[in-house]
Amino acid sequence: MKNLVTYLAFSVIISSMISCGEAKARSTKQNSVFSEVKDSIAIKVDALLAKMTIEEKIGQMNQYNGFWDVTGPVPQNGDAAQKYEHLKKGWVGSMLNVKGVTDVRKVQKIAVEETRLGIPLIIGFDVIHGYKTISPIPLAEAASWDLEAIKLSAQVAAEEAAASGINWTFAPMVDISRDARWGRVMEGAGEDPYLGSLIAKARVQGFQGDDLALANTIAACAKHFVGYGFPEDGKDYNTVDVGTSTLYNIILPPFKAAKEAGARTFMNAFNELNGIPATGNAFLQRDILKGEWNFDGFVVTDWGSINEMIAHRYAENRNMAAEIAIKAGADMDMESYAYVNELATLVKEGKVDEALIDDAVKRILRVKYELGLFEDPYKYCNEAVEKEVIGSKRIMDAVLDMAKKSIVLLKNENNLLPLKKNGQKIAVIGALADDTTSPLGSWRIAADDGTAVSVLEGLKAYKGNTITYEKGADVVTGETLFPKELTINVSEKSGFAAAVSAAKSADVVIMVLGEHGLHSGEGRSRSEIGLTGVQQELLETVYKANKNIVLVLNNGRPLTINWADAHIPAIVEAWHLGTQSGHAIAQVLYGDYNPSGKLPMTFPKNVGQVPIYYNHKSTGRPTIPAPGEVFWSHYTDVSNAPLYPFGYGLSYTTFEYSDLKVNVTSNTTVTVSVNLTNTGNVKGKEVAQLYIRDEFASVTRPVRELKGFELVELQPNETKTITFNLTDQELGFYNNNGKFSVEPGTFSIFVGGSSDATLTSQFEL
Ligand code: BGC
């Protein structure tokens, strides 16, 4: 109680200081106040720990799935009755997938009122892209390059989830990936560690806000630590084998950024990394995360990943797996039943030091205190707030705005877009055009099927044109939420004829094609990444009837759309954009919103090019030598170039870059400036991008690396000077011993609207 009073007193001090506006004094004092709050939490945690039995401590490290939803395979040895018994004994520290104020209150009440110590549960949920109101899939949001919008998107998702009783999200997923076959690319920020790090930070800040103790902020979880985005052959959960340079320079940076932004939890991963499962990997969790990075939150395992170390052939049985996991630094066991069943014995037998358990429990309790759960375990359980917040106009507006910002214009020959608003006959074709579930994407477990605005509905909101709709062909059959398998090979073509006849009498054809929302996501890797089923054939057939086609893509990964790129005059990348999808797409097609998205992942020409990414290394034989020469690094059947490069995206206006200037101000600081002009006829936004190349280094460096960008809005004919500041953070890299430094020498820079930027200069450090 005394500590609570002290805490409240601190809050009063903070707010009175804020109102006085003593900015500088405020930040120094605030820091010391916060560290005192932290100290007071540490005192409370120690006091509570001292009262706990070993079983109660281990209970805090045990997380169970709710009894309602299941997002993974259900372990054979666990059932609802046993979970319920454990909950009553205080052997459960957290639950996931319990949602809604009524249900959360039910389980929280058991933890708080029926257990000996009354320690509240922390309630986790996959709030990945929205909660009940769904925002664009994270890959789409990354295409906005708009960090403020991404932060806001995470913030409103947190608000909605918090209003539903949830206090912890298993997001952001900050896994970098270069393999479009991997189904979970939809859940990350794409292929680039620089963009990925900034987005990781924005998302963590959005979920957690400035004060975790508020009832509308929730704890974030950076996942999957680490390497999960680099599975061999793109198959989910597969082996990961990467060198130190890739680990330190590509994979780890977004996790470090998430930690620095204050992410209170991390999730480890299903994959093995260089022979050691991530869940049992002490180098990752103890040496890097908790050691070098000084992370003081807690690590939760991925679903059942302690047990999976047996299938990895790393642990011989569950007992051994539990021992490996705790020693490696995994603090909370998600659904392996390993800690709750094995740890006490391991401690008794002297195989596991109780100090390791104490450390894990302290971390977990600390986060619960920070969330304010001890002060009021029901603070997230307010029916009135739940009613008011979920699906509110404010949240709907935020996801609509995010959806528009996520759209990327890939092609627009002869300015086919924007569409004329009146007097046009428009044929809309494709099953996805009339789908109100698919736009919700893959992670939408709290959202109801059928709650997205379809493209057709979005277009119909514009009344000046005549619209006819034909499905043409199905995209999936037998769809249910999280079906075991989605049929991709839909082959029924009986709808083609009607689609052709609608196209024949139309001025413009809008074809909405791609993948269903559940074709990407966890466990949804694909070996072919074109349009699914017979959609390619449908596209080619309709094209024969009317060439005036706008292709709107719905997809959760880069697709191979060579034919479309060669033939279709306008292509719009519209991903899976969430609840407001159809309105966002229609507003872009009609020019009420000028698209400014840029691809966060390279689009390959064919799947054989994968993994394909812009920041690759050079080779000893990198360029095209004399014509007819064979012995250089290339394919004999496809060029090395991608279909669309990283950072690429068009607008309804055009931009020109000029007057590139470089000023080296010290041996680790460089200023780059460039003029950007809107040379077209309408207002528009451009993501100006800066890439560097460290020409020669002790460890070879990529041919280009993104090191700065700015989203700039310009009126027609307006010019702005953009300045990028490069510091040691941007100029340096990790060597193969994990040491970060800037190496003097020559650097090239490239500035422009994509990773293919041609405006270039050099400087020496
Ligand atoms: C996924 C995690 C997710 C967890 C809980 C796992 O299968 O890999 O990302 O947070 O399930 O739903």
Side-chain angles (χ1 to χ4, degrees):
M1 189 60 195
K2 186 164 160 270
N3 286 327
L4 174 60
V5 172
T6 326
Y7 176 83
L8 290 175
F10 290 146
S11 313
V12 172
I13 296 170
I14 291 168
S15 37
S16 67
M17 283 187 320
I18 289 171
S19 62
C20 293
E22 299 162 356
K24 202 166 167 207
R26 179 180 61 185
S27 76
T28 342
K29 269 195 192 170
Q30 211 167 350
N31 283 341
S32 74
V33 169
F34 281 137
S35 63
E36 283 179 53
V37 171
K38 262 195 143 177
D39 291 349
S40 80
I41 286 180
I43 293 165
K44 290 186 229 178
V45 165
D46 285 342
L48 181 53
L49 190 78
K51 293 188 197 144
M52 295 169 79
T53 64
I54 184 77
E55 286 76 17
E56 284 164 341
K57 289 179 188 174
I58 293 166
Q60 286 304 303
M61 301 164 70
N62 182 32
Q63 183 188 53
Y64 282 151
N65 188 48
F67 315 132
W68 302 277
D69 283 317
V70 174
T71 55
V74 185
Q76 296 306 308
N77 55 349
D79 57 31
Q82 184 197 329
K83 286 175 178 176
Y84 185 60
E85 281 312 305
H86 286 185
L87 190 57
K88 285 200 292 192
K89 285 187 186 162
W91 289 8
V92 182
S94 172
M95 293 190 76
L96 76 151
N97 290 329
V98 183
K99 64 176 198 303
V101 166
T102 312
D103 286 348
V104 170
R105 184 181 282 118
K106 253 190 240 164
V107 289
Q108 195 65 289
K109 205 163 180 311
I110 301 171
V112 173
E113 293 175 26
E114 294 185 35
T115 67
R116 191 178 76 92
L117 292 170
I119 301 174
L121 297 165
I122 176 169
I123 305 287
F125 199 86
D126 289 283
V127 185
I128 308 292
H129 51 109
Y131 174 65
K132 194 143 183 116
T133 308
I134 299 297
S135 54
I137 56 168
L139 186 66
E141 290 195 357
S144 73
W145 298 52
D146 187 332
L147 300 172
E148 275 310 307
I150 292 172
K151 184 173 161 186
L152 181 67
S153 174
Q155 187 188 314
V156 297
E159 271 186 60
E160 247 198 9
S164 184
I166 286 147
N167 30 67
W168 175 25
T169 174
F170 305 124
M173 185 189 100
V174 303
D175 296 307
I176 296 297
S177 184
R178 298 164 164 175
D179 196 327
R181 293 170 299 181
W182 188 49
R184 290 191 90 166
V185 296
M186 54 72 56
E187 200 179 334
E191 74 188 39
D192 183 66
Y194 180 82
L195 178 62
S197 297
L198 291 170
I199 290 178
K201 179 177 168 196
R203 290 196 166 128
V204 168
Q205 290 177 339
F207 289 128
Q208 298 193 163
D210 295 332
D211 184 356
L212 208 53
L214 295 177
N216 61 1
T217 56
I218 60 179
C221 178
K223 70 187 190 185
H224 304 85
F225 201 66
V226 70
Y228 185 48
F230 275 69
E232 272 179 15
D233 64 25
K235 262 201 319 273
D236 209 357
Y237 319 120
N238 207 3
T239 308
V240 178
D241 204 326
V242 292
T244 27
S245 184
T246 303
L247 178 64
Y248 280 105
N249 292 296
I250 307 292
I251 296 175
L252 285 174
F255 285 94
K256 190 153 190 271
K259 188 267 154 190
E260 279 162 11
R264 298 311 290 133
T265 74
F266 269 55
M267 183 185 290
N268 60 31
F270 291 128
N271 57 283
E272 68 157 70
L273 177 75
N274 303 339
I276 304 190
T279 301
N281 200 316
F283 164 67
L284 296 176
Q285 296 170 107
R286 290 226 180 264
D287 298 352
I288 294 186
L289 179 60
K290 292 178 177 175
E292 218 176 289
W293 296 357
N294 207 14
F295 171 67
D296 70 352
F298 70 87
V299 178
V300 63
T301 72
D302 204 344
W303 180 292
S305 67
I306 298 181
N307 281 346
E308 289 189 10
M309 288 198 283
I310 303 168
H312 273 292
R313 302 184 170 274
Y314 190 67
E316 286 173 23
N317 50 46
R318 188 175 67 184
N319 182 270
M320 188 174 168
E323 180 182 343
I324 292 170
I326 179 66
K327 286 186 172 163
D331 301 306
M332 185 182 276
D333 169 3
M334 181 194 284
E335 278 286 326
S336 277
Y337 299 76
Y339 284 177
V340 71
N341 286 305
E342 311 288 350
L343 275 189
T345 321
L346 285 165
V347 171
K348 228 172 273 158
E349 288 171 349
K351 287 187 184 160
V352 167
D353 188 343
E354 192 168 343
L356 290 184
I357 312 264
D358 287 353
D359 176 62
V361 176
K362 279 194 203 179
R363 289 168 179 275
I364 294 163
L365 294 178
R366 188 179 301 148
V367 175
K368 290 186 177 183
Y369 272 109
E370 288 169 358
L371 282 164
L373 288 168
F374 281 95
E375 279 153 38
D376 179 4
Y378 304 109
K379 61 185 279 203
Y380 292 85
C381 296
N382 181 327
E383 278 86 357
V385 173
E386 184 177 41
K387 206 159 164 235
E388 181 204 318
V389 171
I390 294 182
S392 64
K393 175 157 185 327
R394 188 170 53 83
I395 291 179
M396 286 290 180
D397 289 349
V399 301
L400 173 60
D401 188 55
M402 188 71 248
K404 289 189 276 191
K405 289 175 169 158
S406 304
I407 292 173
V408 186
L409 181 62
L410 295 176
K411 193 176 170 195
N412 192 19
E413 234 168 51
N414 306 325
N415 295 330
L416 181 55
L417 290 173
L419 300 171
K420 294 191 187 82
K421 285 190 175 159
N422 291 299
Q424 299 279 294
K425 279 195 261 166
I426 297 185
V428 180
I429 295 171
L432 291 172
D434 192 25
D435 199 320
T436 51
T437 296
S438 169
L440 300 174
S442 176
W443 273 116
R444 43 100 191 277
I445 40 184
D448 298 321
D449 278 5
T451 49
V453 177
S454 70
V455 179
L456 200 53
E457 287 166 339
L459 289 170
K460 283 183 176 166
Y462 287 81
K463 306 284 181 210
N465 291 328
T466 318
I467 292 181
T468 54
Y469 170 69
E470 286 299 335
K471 178 168 77 172
D474 279 314
V475 178
V476 287
T477 54
E479 186 206 337
T480 54
L481 190 64
F482 292 109
K484 287 219 171 71
E485 285 296 338
L486 282 179
T487 314
I488 288 188
N489 297 324
V490 177
S491 56
E492 178 59 48
K493 295 184 211 160
S494 57
F496 277 31
V500 165
S501 112
K504 271 189 184 151
S505 54
D507 298 308
V508 183
V509 183
I510 297 175
M511 295 192 71
V512 186
L513 307 176
E515 312 180 296
H516 186 272
L518 294 175
H519 277 144
S520 50
E522 187 177 345
R524 303 284 157 81
S525 294
R526 288 176 56 196
S527 68
E528 295 289 350
I529 51 172
L531 306 174
T532 62
V534 288
Q535 292 180 95
Q536 178 63 34
E537 226 178 309
L538 175 65
L539 178 64
E540 293 182 26
T541 308
V542 172
Y543 178 77
K544 283 185 197 134
N546 188 339
K547 297 192 169 23
N548 237 8
I549 296 178
V550 176
L551 172 61
V552 175
L553 293 171
N554 279 188
N555 46 312
R557 53 158 64 82
L559 296 178
T560 50
I561 48 157
N562 279 346
W563 186 90
D565 178 64
H567 296 87
I568 302 300
I571 307 178
V572 176
E573 175 51 80
W575 316 104
H576 296 121
L577 291 176
T579 307
Q580 291 287 330
S581 171
H583 288 317
I585 293 169
Q587 288 177 30
V588 164
L589 295 183
Y590 276 111
D592 284 340
Y593 189 86
N594 187 354
S596 58
K598 301 275 188 177
L599 295 177
M601 248 187 121
T602 306
F603 271 46
K605 287 196 164 120
N606 66 25
V607 80
Q609 287 185 319
V610 172
I612 184 168
Y613 49 98
Y614 85 94
N615 52 353
H616 60 84
K617 299 288 188 71
S618 182
T619 68
R621 298 186 176 195
T623 47
I624 307 167
E629 182 56 81
V630 168
F631 302 111
W632 63 289
S633 183
H634 73 303
Y635 301 102
T636 52
D637 57 350
V638 65
S639 89
N640 285 357
L643 184 60
Y644 304 118
F646 172 83
Y648 169 81
L650 304 171
S651 159
Y652 294 147
T653 188
T654 46
F655 297 98
E656 214 172 85
Y657 291 81
S658 62
D659 219 9
L660 179 61
K661 290 190 187 125
V662 187
N663 187 12
V664 179
T665 43
S666 82
N667 52 6
T668 54
T669 49
V670 177
T671 308
V672 177
S673 70
V674 71
N675 284 350
L676 177 64
T677 307
N678 180 345
T679 49
N681 300 323
V682 288
K683 181 176 82 173
K685 282 187 287 179
E686 165 77 337
V687 183
Q689 301 159 44
L690 168 75
Y691 295 84
I692 69 163
R693 174 162 69 221
D694 185 347
E695 290 290 342
F696 297 95
S698 60
V699 180
T700 59
R701 305 301 306 135
V703 293
R704 284 182 186 205
E705 293 176 273
L706 179 72
K707 292 296 176 183
F709 64 88
E710 199 175 319
L711 183 59
V712 190
E713 184 165 61
L714 294 172
Q715 297 294 336
N717 296 318
E718 189 185 352
T719 299
K720 265 187 196 157
T721 303
I722 302 159
T723 307
F724 300 102
N725 292 312
L726 297 172
T727 67
D728 57 337
Q729 285 311 300
E730 288 79 31
L731 297 166
F733 66 92
Y734 290 91
N735 70 14
N736 286 348
N737 299 318
K739 193 173 164 302
F740 187 86
S741 68
V742 181
E743 292 187 1
T746 307
F747 287 74
S748 295
I749 54 166
F750 308 87
V751 177
S754 86
S755 58
D756 270 356
T758 48
L759 193 59
T760 180
S761 183
Q762 283 198 332
F763 61 87
E764 299 284 326
L765 285 185

